[in-house]
Amino acid sequence: MNDLDQAKEKEGGEELEFLCVRMTEGVYGFELPHIREIIWDSRITPVPCVPDYYEGLCNWKGTIITAASLSRMTGTRESGYGDQPVVIIMETGALQCGFLVREEPEILRVPADARLTGDTPDRIGEILKIKAAYAWENEVIYVIDAEETLKCMVVFD
């Protein structure tokens, strides 16, 4: 065990890691076990007659998956990601989706005891489910509940 591990153990401070995206309305974190890949230069093909938060389809290693706009899901109606958006491929169980972001994602380490309790939202917008919220360096990180969010995105008609 190195010195850093011993110091954390003494403090009782477990750290959690999330793949985070800073947006104007907040910081959103993805749990690392659900992240399959980050694609820096994917082409998105628009599809008509789908909910507004879907940007279209993308090819991920020969598999066609849906691509959803994280900004639209959080209530920011930005569009026009250009030809080369950043796509975060998330998977849970049999469900997969690409999340389009403008911002470059980064790994953030957050103390487990920084979890907020009380009046924290369990969802943002209609679709995005929140699993937990953490206070971190004067910001709040909203951790996306991968399983529940992807279940909400399934559209049956």
Side-chain angles (χ1 to χ4, degrees):
M1 184 179 293
N2 66 32
D3 292 338
L4 182 59
D5 290 336
Q6 289 175 351
K8 284 182 193 173
E9 194 172 282
K10 285 180 187 175
E11 295 171 8
E14 178 186 351
E15 284 190 327
L16 306 172
E17 289 184 326
F18 303 107
L19 179 70
C20 293
V21 178
R22 280 187 169 78
M23 299 174 64
T24 55
E25 56 284 321
V27 179
Y28 296 93
F30 296 89
E31 294 176 294
L32 296 181
H34 298 292
I35 302 299
R36 293 297 165 247
E37 191 168 351
I38 299 172
I39 304 172
W40 300 97
D41 57 353
S42 181
R43 182 169 176 196
I44 305 301
T45 303
V47 176
C49 303
V50 294
D52 186 44
Y53 54 85
Y54 284 113
E55 285 284 331
L57 301 172
C58 70
N59 184 338
W60 175 52
K61 298 182 178 181
T63 301
I64 304 301
I65 63 171
T66 57
S69 166
L70 188 58
S71 63
R72 287 184 184 176
M73 293 176 90
T74 60
T76 304
R77 297 292 175 191
E78 299 176 302
S79 62
Y81 284 92
D83 292 333
Q84 306 298 321
V86 176
V87 181
I88 299 170
I89 305 294
M90 188 164 70
E91 181 178 56
T92 178
L95 302 174
Q96 303 168 336
C97 185
F99 287 86
L100 279 69
V101 297
R102 291 184 186 274
E103 302 74 12
E104 184 171 327
E106 60 184 308
I107 300 285
L108 296 180
R109 290 188 176 100
V110 180
D113 60 2
R115 184 174 181 156
L116 298 174
T117 58
D119 291 336
T120 58
D122 63 346
R123 71 171 50 217
I124 294 180
E126 295 178 24
I127 302 295
L128 199 63
K129 298 278 191 157
I130 302 301
K131 189 173 196 174
Y134 293 87
W136 186 80
E137 293 187 6
N138 299 322
E139 296 179 299
V140 175
I141 298 174
Y142 296 102
V143 178
I144 297 168
D145 187 326
E147 185 174 357
E148 292 303 315
T149 296
L150 292 182
K151 283 180 185 178
C152 284
M153 294 173 66
V154 175
V155 179
F156 294 101
D157 268 345

